[in-house]
Coordinates of all heavy atoms in Angstrom, one line a residue:
M616 N 131.2 77.5 71.8 CA 132.4 78.2 71.6 C 132.2 79.6 72.1 O 131.2 80.3 71.9 CB 132.8 78.2 70.1 CG 134.0 78.9 69.8 SD 134.4 78.8 68.1 CE 135.9 78.1 68.1
A617 N 133.2 80.1 72.8 CA 133.1 81.5 73.4 C 133.3 82.5 72.2 O 133.9 82.3 71.3 CB 134.3 81.6 74.3
K618 N 132.6 83.6 72.5 CA 132.8 84.8 71.6 C 134.0 85.6 71.9 O 134.5 85.6 73.0 CB 131.6 85.8 71.8 CG 130.2 85.2 71.4 CD 129.1 86.2 71.6 CE 127.8 85.7 71.2 NZ 126.8 86.8 71.3
K619 N 134.4 86.3 70.9 CA 135.6 87.2 71.1 C 135.2 88.3 71.9 O 134.0 88.8 71.7 CB 136.1 87.6 69.7 CG 136.8 86.5 68.9 CD 137.3 87.1 67.6 CE 137.9 86.0 66.8 NZ 138.4 86.5 65.5
P620 N 136.1 88.9 72.7 CA 135.6 90.1 73.5 C 135.4 91.3 72.6 O 135.9 91.5 71.6 CB 137.0 90.4 74.3 CG 137.7 89.2 74.3 CD 137.4 88.4 73.0
G621 N 134.3 92.0 73.0 CA 133.9 93.2 72.2 C 133.0 92.9 71.0 O 132.7 93.8 70.2
T622 N 132.5 91.6 70.9 CA 131.6 91.4 69.8 C 130.2 91.6 70.2 O 129.3 91.6 69.3 CB 131.7 90.0 69.3 OG1 131.5 89.0 70.4 CG2 133.2 89.7 68.7
N623 N 129.8 91.8 71.5 CA 128.4 92.1 71.8 C 128.1 93.5 71.5 O 128.9 94.4 71.8 CB 128.3 91.9 73.2 CG 128.2 90.4 73.6 OD1 127.9 89.5 72.8 ND2 128.6 90.0 74.8
P624 N 127.0 93.9 70.8 CA 126.7 95.2 70.6 C 126.4 96.0 71.9 O 125.7 95.4 72.8 CB 125.4 95.1 69.7 CG 124.9 93.7 69.9 CD 126.0 92.8 70.4
K625 N 126.9 97.2 71.9 CA 126.8 98.1 73.1 C 125.4 98.7 72.9 O 124.9 99.0 71.9 CB 127.9 99.1 73.1 CG 129.4 98.5 73.2 CD 129.5 97.9 74.5 CE 130.9 97.3 74.6 NZ 131.1 96.2 75.5
G626 N 124.9 99.0 74.1 CA 123.6 99.7 74.2 C 122.4 98.9 73.9 O 121.3 99.4 73.7
E627 N 122.6 97.6 73.8 CA 121.5 96.6 73.6 C 120.6 96.6 74.9 O 119.3 96.4 74.7 CB 122.0 95.3 73.3 CG 121.0 94.3 73.0 CD 121.6 93.0 72.5 OE1 122.9 92.9 72.3 OE2 120.9 91.9 72.5
F628 N 121.1 96.8 76.0 CA 120.3 96.7 77.3 C 120.7 97.9 78.2 O 121.7 98.4 78.1 CB 120.7 95.4 78.1 CG 120.3 94.2 77.5 CD1 121.1 93.4 76.8 CD2 119.0 93.7 77.5 CE1 120.8 92.2 76.2 CE2 118.6 92.5 76.9 CZ 119.5 91.8 76.2
A629 N 119.7 98.3 79.0 CA 119.9 99.3 80.0 C 119.7 98.5 81.3 O 119.0 97.6 81.4 CB 118.8 100.4 79.9
F630 N 120.5 98.9 82.3 CA 120.5 98.3 83.6 C 119.9 99.1 84.6 O 120.1 100.4 84.7 CB 122.0 98.0 84.0 CG 122.6 97.0 83.0 CD1 123.3 97.4 81.9 CD2 122.5 95.6 83.3 CE1 123.9 96.4 81.0 CE2 123.0 94.7 82.4 CZ 123.7 95.1 81.3
F631 N 119.1 98.5 85.5 CA 118.4 99.2 86.6 C 118.7 98.6 87.9 O 118.7 97.4 88.0 CB 116.9 99.2 86.3 CG 116.5 100.1 85.2 CD1 116.5 99.6 83.8 CD2 116.1 101.4 85.3 CE1 116.2 100.3 82.7 CE2 115.8 102.2 84.2 CZ 115.8 101.7 83.0
N632 N 118.8 99.4 88.9 CA 118.7 98.9 90.3 C 117.2 99.0 90.7 O 116.5 100.0 90.6 CB 119.5 99.7 91.2 CG 121.0 99.6 91.0 OD1 121.4 98.5 90.5 ND2 121.8 100.6 91.2
V633 N 116.7 97.9 91.4 CA 115.3 97.9 91.8 C 115.2 97.8 93.3 O 115.9 96.9 93.9 CB 114.6 96.7 91.1 CG1 113.1 96.7 91.5 CG2 114.7 96.8 89.7
V634 N 114.4 98.7 93.9 CA 114.2 98.6 95.3 C 112.8 98.2 95.6 O 111.9 98.9 95.1 CB 114.6 100.0 96.0 CG1 114.3 99.9 97.5 CG2 116.0 100.5 95.8
Y635 N 112.6 97.2 96.4 CA 111.3 96.8 96.7 C 110.7 97.3 98.0 O 111.4 98.0 98.8 CB 111.3 95.2 96.8 CG 111.7 94.6 95.5 CD1 113.0 94.3 95.2 CD2 110.6 94.3 94.5 CE1 113.3 93.7 93.9 CE2 111.0 93.8 93.3 CZ 112.3 93.5 93.0 OH 112.6 93.0 91.8
D636 N 109.4 97.1 98.3 CA 108.8 97.7 99.5 C 109.4 97.2 100.8 O 109.3 97.9 101.8 CB 107.2 97.3 99.5 CG 106.5 98.2 98.6 OD1 106.9 99.3 98.2 OD2 105.4 97.9 98.2
D637 N 109.9 96.1 100.8 CA 110.6 95.6 102.0 C 112.0 96.0 102.1 O 112.8 95.6 102.9 CB 110.6 94.0 102.1 CG 111.5 93.4 101.1 OD1 111.9 94.1 100.1 OD2 111.5 92.1 101.1
D638 N 112.4 97.1 101.3 CA 113.7 97.7 101.2 C 114.9 96.8 100.8 O 116.0 97.1 100.9 CB 114.1 98.3 102.6 CG 113.3 99.6 102.8 OD1 113.0 100.2 101.9 OD2 113.0 99.9 104.0
S639 N 114.5 95.7 100.2 CA 115.6 94.8 99.5 C 115.9 95.4 98.2 O 115.1 96.1 97.6 CB 115.1 93.4 99.5 OG 114.0 93.2 98.6
Q640 N 117.0 95.1 97.7 CA 117.5 95.6 96.4 C 118.0 94.6 95.5 O 118.7 93.7 95.9 CB 118.5 96.8 96.6 CG 119.0 97.3 95.4 CD 120.0 98.4 95.6 OE1 120.0 99.1 96.6 NE2 120.9 98.7 94.6
R641 N 117.8 94.7 94.2 CA 118.3 93.9 93.2 C 119.0 94.8 92.2 O 118.4 95.8 91.8 CB 117.2 93.1 92.4 CG 116.3 92.2 93.3 CD 117.1 91.1 94.0 NE 116.1 90.2 94.7 CZ 115.7 90.4 95.9 NH1 116.2 91.5 96.6 NH2 114.9 89.6 96.5
S642 N 120.3 94.5 91.9 CA 121.1 95.4 91.2 C 121.2 94.8 89.7 O 121.2 93.6 89.5 CB 122.4 95.5 91.7 OG 122.4 96.1 93.0
N643 N 121.4 95.8 88.8 CA 121.7 95.5 87.4 C 120.7 94.5 86.7 O 121.1 93.6 86.0 CB 123.1 94.9 87.3 CG 124.2 95.9 87.7 OD1 124.1 97.1 87.5 ND2 125.3 95.4 88.3
R644 N 119.4 94.9 86.9 CA 118.4 94.2 86.2 C 118.4 94.6 84.7 O 118.4 95.9 84.5 CB 117.1 94.5 86.8 CG 116.9 94.0 88.2 CD 116.7 92.4 88.3 NE 115.6 92.0 87.6 CZ 114.3 91.8 88.2 NH1 114.2 92.1 89.4 NH2 113.3 91.4 87.5
R645 N 118.4 93.8 83.7 CA 118.6 94.1 82.3 C 117.2 94.4 81.7 O 116.3 93.6 81.9 CB 119.2 93.0 81.5 CG 120.7 92.9 81.8 CD 121.4 92.0 80.8 NE 120.6 90.8 80.3 CZ 121.0 89.9 79.5 NH1 122.2 89.9 79.0 NH2 120.2 88.9 79.1
V646 N 117.1 95.5 81.0 CA 115.9 95.8 80.2 C 116.3 96.1 78.8 O 117.3 96.9 78.6 CB 115.2 97.0 80.9 CG1 114.0 97.4 80.1 CG2 114.8 96.7 82.3
P647 N 115.7 95.6 77.8 CA 116.0 95.9 76.4 C 116.0 97.4 76.2 O 114.9 98.1 76.5 CB 115.0 95.2 75.6 CG 114.5 94.1 76.5 CD 114.6 94.6 77.9
A648 N 116.9 97.9 75.6 CA 117.0 99.4 75.3 C 115.9 99.9 74.4 O 115.4 101.0 74.5 CB 118.4 99.9 74.8
E649 N 115.4 99.0 73.6 CA 114.4 99.4 72.5 C 113.1 99.8 73.2 O 112.2 100.5 72.6 CB 114.2 98.3 71.6 CG 113.7 97.0 72.1 CD 114.1 95.8 71.4 OE1 115.1 95.8 70.7 OE2 113.4 94.8 71.5
L650 N 112.8 99.3 74.5 CA 111.6 99.6 75.2 C 111.6 101.0 75.8 O 110.6 101.5 76.1 CB 111.4 98.6 76.3 CG 111.2 97.2 76.0 CD1 111.0 96.3 77.2 CD2 109.9 97.0 75.1
L651 N 112.8 101.6 75.9 CA 113.0 102.8 76.7 C 113.1 104.1 75.8 O 113.3 103.9 74.5 CB 114.2 102.7 77.5 CG 114.4 101.5 78.5 CD1 115.7 101.6 79.1 CD2 113.2 101.6 79.4
G652 N 112.9 105.2 76.4 CA 113.0 106.4 75.6 C 111.6 106.9 75.2 O 110.6 106.5 75.7
G653 N 111.5 107.9 74.4 CA 110.3 108.4 74.0 C 109.7 109.2 75.1 O 110.3 109.7 76.1
L654 N 108.4 109.4 75.0 CA 107.6 110.2 76.0 C 107.6 109.5 77.3 O 107.4 110.3 78.4 CB 106.3 110.6 75.5 CG 106.2 111.4 74.2 CD1 104.8 111.6 73.8 CD2 106.8 112.7 74.4
D655 N 107.6 108.2 77.4 CA 107.4 107.5 78.6 C 108.7 107.4 79.4 O 108.7 107.1 80.6 CB 106.9 106.1 78.4 CG 105.5 106.1 77.8 OD1 104.8 107.1 78.1 OD2 105.2 105.2 77.1
G656 N 109.9 107.7 78.8 CA 111.2 107.6 79.5 C 111.5 106.2 79.9 O 111.4 105.3 79.1
D657 N 111.8 106.1 81.2 CA 112.2 104.8 81.8 C 110.9 104.0 82.3 O 111.0 102.9 82.9 CB 113.2 105.0 82.9 CG 114.5 105.3 82.3 OD1 114.7 105.1 81.2 OD2 115.4 105.8 83.1
E658 N 109.7 104.5 82.3 CA 108.5 103.9 82.8 C 108.3 102.5 82.2 O 107.8 101.6 83.0 CB 107.3 104.8 82.7 CG 106.1 104.4 83.5 CD 106.4 104.3 85.0 OE1 107.2 105.1 85.5 OE2 105.8 103.4 85.6
P659 N 108.5 102.2 81.0 CA 108.3 100.8 80.4 C 109.2 99.9 81.2 O 108.9 98.7 81.2 CB 108.7 101.0 78.9 CG 108.4 102.4 78.6 CD 108.7 103.2 79.8
A660 N 110.4 100.3 81.6 CA 111.3 99.4 82.4 C 110.6 98.8 83.6 O 110.7 97.7 83.9 CB 112.5 100.1 82.9
R661 N 109.7 99.6 84.3 CA 109.0 99.2 85.5 C 108.1 98.0 85.1 O 108.0 96.9 85.8 CB 108.2 100.3 86.1 CG 107.4 99.8 87.3 CD 106.5 101.0 87.9 NE 107.4 102.0 88.5 CZ 107.8 102.0 89.7 NH1 107.5 101.0 90.5 NH2 108.6 103.0 90.2
A662 N 107.3 98.1 84.0 CA 106.4 97.1 83.5 C 107.2 95.8 83.1 O 106.8 94.7 83.5 CB 105.6 97.6 82.4
F663 N 108.4 96.0 82.5 CA 109.1 94.9 82.0 C 109.7 94.1 83.2 O 109.6 92.8 83.3 CB 110.3 95.4 81.2 CG 111.1 94.2 80.6 CD1 110.7 93.5 79.5 CD2 112.3 93.9 81.2 CE1 111.5 92.5 79.0 CE2 113.1 92.8 80.6 CZ 112.6 92.2 79.5
I664 N 110.2 94.8 84.3 CA 110.7 94.2 85.4 C 109.6 93.6 86.3 O 109.8 92.5 86.8 CB 111.5 95.2 86.2 CG1 112.8 95.6 85.5 CG2 111.9 94.7 87.7 CD1 113.5 96.8 86.1
M665 N 108.4 94.1 86.3 CA 107.3 93.5 87.0 C 106.9 92.2 86.3 O 106.6 91.2 87.1 CB 106.1 94.5 87.1 CG 106.4 95.6 88.0 SD 105.0 96.9 88.0 CE 103.6 96.0 88.5
A666 N 106.9 92.2 85.0 CA 106.6 91.0 84.3 C 107.7 89.9 84.6 O 107.3 88.7 84.9 CB 106.5 91.2 82.8
Q667 N 108.9 90.2 84.7 CA 110.0 89.3 85.1 C 109.8 88.8 86.5 O 110.0 87.6 86.7 CB 111.4 90.0 85.0 CG 112.0 90.2 83.7 CD 113.4 90.8 83.7 OE1 113.6 91.5 84.7 NE2 114.2 90.6 82.6
D668 N 109.5 89.7 87.4 CA 109.2 89.3 88.8 C 108.0 88.3 88.9 O 108.1 87.4 89.7 CB 109.0 90.5 89.7 CG 110.2 91.3 89.9 OD1 111.4 90.8 89.7 OD2 110.2 92.4 90.5
R669 N 107.0 88.6 88.2 CA 105.8 87.6 88.2 C 106.3 86.2 87.7 O 105.8 85.2 88.3 CB 104.7 88.2 87.3 CG 103.8 89.2 88.0 CD 102.5 89.5 87.3 NE 102.8 90.0 85.9 CZ 102.9 91.2 85.7 NH1 102.9 92.1 86.6 NH2 103.1 91.6 84.4
E670 N 107.0 86.2 86.6 CA 107.4 85.0 86.1 C 108.4 84.2 87.1 O 108.2 82.9 87.3 CB 108.3 85.2 84.8 CG 108.6 83.9 84.1 CD 109.4 84.2 82.8 OE1 109.0 85.2 82.0 OE2 110.3 83.5 82.5
I671 N 109.3 84.9 87.7 CA 110.1 84.3 88.7 C 109.3 83.8 89.9 O 109.6 82.7 90.4 CB 111.2 85.3 89.2 CG1 112.2 85.7 88.0 CG2 112.0 84.8 90.4 CD1 113.1 86.8 88.2
A672 N 108.3 84.6 90.3 CA 107.5 84.2 91.5 C 106.6 83.0 91.2 O 106.5 82.1 92.1 CB 106.5 85.4 91.8
E673 N 106.2 82.9 90.0 CA 105.4 81.7 89.5 C 106.3 80.4 89.7 O 105.9 79.4 90.2 CB 104.9 81.7 88.1 CG 103.7 82.7 88.0 CD 103.3 82.9 86.6 OE1 103.8 82.2 85.7 OE2 102.5 83.7 86.3
K674 N 107.5 80.6 89.2 CA 108.5 79.4 89.2 C 108.9 79.0 90.6 O 109.2 77.8 90.9 CB 109.7 79.7 88.3 CG 109.3 79.7 86.8 CD 110.5 80.0 85.9 CE 110.1 80.1 84.5 NZ 111.3 80.5 83.6
S675 N 109.1 80.0 91.4 CA 109.7 79.8 92.7 C 108.5 79.4 93.7 O 108.8 78.9 94.9 CB 110.4 80.9 93.3 OG 109.5 82.0 93.5
G676 N 107.3 79.8 93.4 CA 106.2 79.5 94.3 C 106.0 80.6 95.5 O 105.3 80.4 96.4
R677 N 106.8 81.7 95.3 CA 106.7 82.7 96.3 C 106.0 84.0 95.7 O 106.1 84.2 94.5 CB 108.2 83.2 96.8 CG 109.0 82.1 97.4 CD 110.2 82.7 97.8 NE 111.0 81.6 98.5 CZ 112.2 81.8 98.9 NH1 112.9 82.9 98.7 NH2 112.8 80.8 99.5
P678 N 105.3 84.8 96.5 CA 104.7 86.0 95.9 C 105.7 87.0 95.4 O 106.8 87.1 96.0 CB 103.8 86.5 97.1 CG 104.6 86.0 98.3 CD 105.1 84.6 97.9
A679 N 105.3 87.8 94.4 CA 106.2 88.8 93.9 C 106.1 90.0 94.8 O 105.2 90.3 95.4 CB 105.7 89.2 92.4
L680 N 107.2 90.6 95.0 CA 107.3 91.8 95.8 C 106.9 93.0 95.0 O 107.1 93.0 93.8 CB 108.8 92.0 96.3 CG 109.4 90.9 97.2 CD1 110.9 91.1 97.5 CD2 108.6 90.8 98.5
E681 N 106.3 94.0 95.7 CA 106.0 95.3 95.1 C 107.2 96.2 94.9 O 108.1 96.3 95.9 CB 104.9 96.0 95.9 CG 103.6 95.3 95.9 CD 102.9 95.4 94.5 OE1 103.0 96.4 93.8 OE2 102.4 94.4 94.1
I682 N 107.3 96.8 93.8 CA 108.5 97.7 93.6 C 108.2 99.1 94.1 O 107.2 99.7 93.9 CB 108.7 97.8 92.0 CG1 109.1 96.5 91.5 CG2 109.8 98.8 91.7 CD1 109.2 96.4 89.9
K683 N 109.2 99.5 94.9 CA 109.2 100.8 95.5 C 109.7 101.9 94.5 O 109.0 102.9 94.2 CB 109.9 100.9 96.8 CG 109.8 102.2 97.5 CD 110.8 102.3 98.7 CE 110.2 101.6 99.9 NZ 111.1 101.8 101.1
R684 N 110.8 101.6 93.9 CA 111.4 102.6 93.0 C 112.4 101.8 92.1 O 113.0 100.8 92.5 CB 112.0 103.7 93.6 CG 113.3 103.5 94.3 CD 113.9 104.8 94.9 NE 115.1 104.5 95.6 CZ 115.2 104.1 96.9 NH1 114.1 103.9 97.7 NH2 116.4 103.9 97.4
I685 N 112.7 102.3 91.0 CA 113.7 101.8 90.0 C 114.7 103.0 89.6 O 114.2 104.2 89.6 CB 113.2 101.2 88.8 CG1 112.5 102.1 87.9 CG2 112.3 100.0 89.1 CD1 112.0 101.6 86.5
E686 N 115.9 102.7 89.5 CA 116.9 103.7 89.2 C 117.8 103.1 88.1 O 118.3 102.1 88.2 CB 117.8 104.1 90.4 CG 117.0 104.6 91.6 CD 117.8 104.7 92.9 OE1 119.0 104.1 92.9 OE2 117.4 105.4 93.8
R687 N 118.1 103.9 87.0 CA 118.9 103.5 86.0 C 120.3 103.5 86.5 O 120.7 104.4 87.1 CB 118.8 104.4 84.8 CG 119.5 103.9 83.6 CD 119.5 104.8 82.4 NE 118.2 104.9 81.8 CZ 118.0 104.5 80.5 NH1 119.0 104.1 79.8 NH2 116.8 104.6 80.0
V688 N 121.1 102.5 86.3 CA 122.5 102.4 86.7 C 123.3 103.4 85.9 O 123.2 103.4 84.7 CB 123.0 100.9 86.5 CG1 124.5 100.9 86.8 CG2 122.2 99.9 87.4
G689 N 124.1 104.1 86.7 CA 124.9 105.1 85.9 C 124.2 106.5 85.6 O 124.8 107.4 85.3
A690 N 123.0 106.6 86.0 CA 122.2 107.9 85.7 C 122.5 108.9 86.8 O 122.8 108.4 87.9 CB 120.7 107.6 85.7
K691 N 122.6 110.1 86.5 CA 123.0 111.1 87.5 C 121.7 111.4 88.3 O 120.6 111.4 87.8 CB 123.4 112.4 86.7 CG 124.7 112.3 86.0 CD 125.1 113.6 85.4 CE 126.4 113.4 84.6 NZ 126.9 114.6 83.9
K692 N 121.8 111.6 89.6 CA 120.8 111.9 90.5 C 120.4 113.3 90.3 O 121.2 114.2 90.0 CB 121.3 111.8 92.0 CG 121.8 110.4 92.2 CD 120.9 109.6 93.1 CE 121.6 108.2 93.3 NZ 120.8 107.4 94.1
K693 N 119.1 113.6 90.4 CA 118.5 114.9 90.2 C 118.5 115.6 91.5 O 118.4 115.2 92.5 CB 117.1 114.9 89.6 CG 117.0 114.3 88.2 CD 115.7 114.2 87.7 CE 115.6 113.7 86.3 NZ 114.3 113.6 85.8

């Protein structure tokens, strides 16, 4: 059964755009918000996304790509 609109808690996930070494990009990768913040800032997101990429690579039989940079969606550029 479908949920009513607006019943999902806001702020549960942070979204990141990921750029790989071959300059390909994946948009809106979800990372649990509870991993972020503190002294490390967004650095735990990189580890979480790398773990997701390894899992995907194992299932697909292709090697995982190296991450060049990650950017939080909606964050202001410095």
Side-chain angles (χ1 to χ4, degrees):
M616 180 179 236
K618 292 182 178 182
K619 292 181 182 179
T622 58
N623 289 335
K625 300 292 181 202
E627 187 175 343
F628 293 99
F630 294 91
F631 289 87
N632 291 331
V633 182
V634 178
Y635 294 95
D636 280 340
D637 66 352
D638 290 326
S639 63
Q640 179 176 332
R641 305 293 184 273
S642 298
N643 294 326
R644 296 285 301 268
R645 286 190 328 180
V646 176
E649 63 208 24
L650 296 178
L651 307 175
L654 298 175
D655 295 330
D657 287 345
E658 194 56 33
R661 179 182 292 271
F663 184 81
I664 291 170
M665 287 173 64
Q667 282 181 336
D668 286 349
R669 277 194 300 273
E670 185 179 321
I671 292 167
E673 287 175 11
K674 290 179 181 178
S675 70
R677 296 181 181 176
L680 297 172
E681 289 294 318
I682 296 174
K683 185 187 281 187
R684 68 178 184 274
I685 63 171
E686 301 168 347
R687 190 184 284 241
V688 173
K691 294 181 181 176
K692 305 249 181 186
K693 292 181 181 178

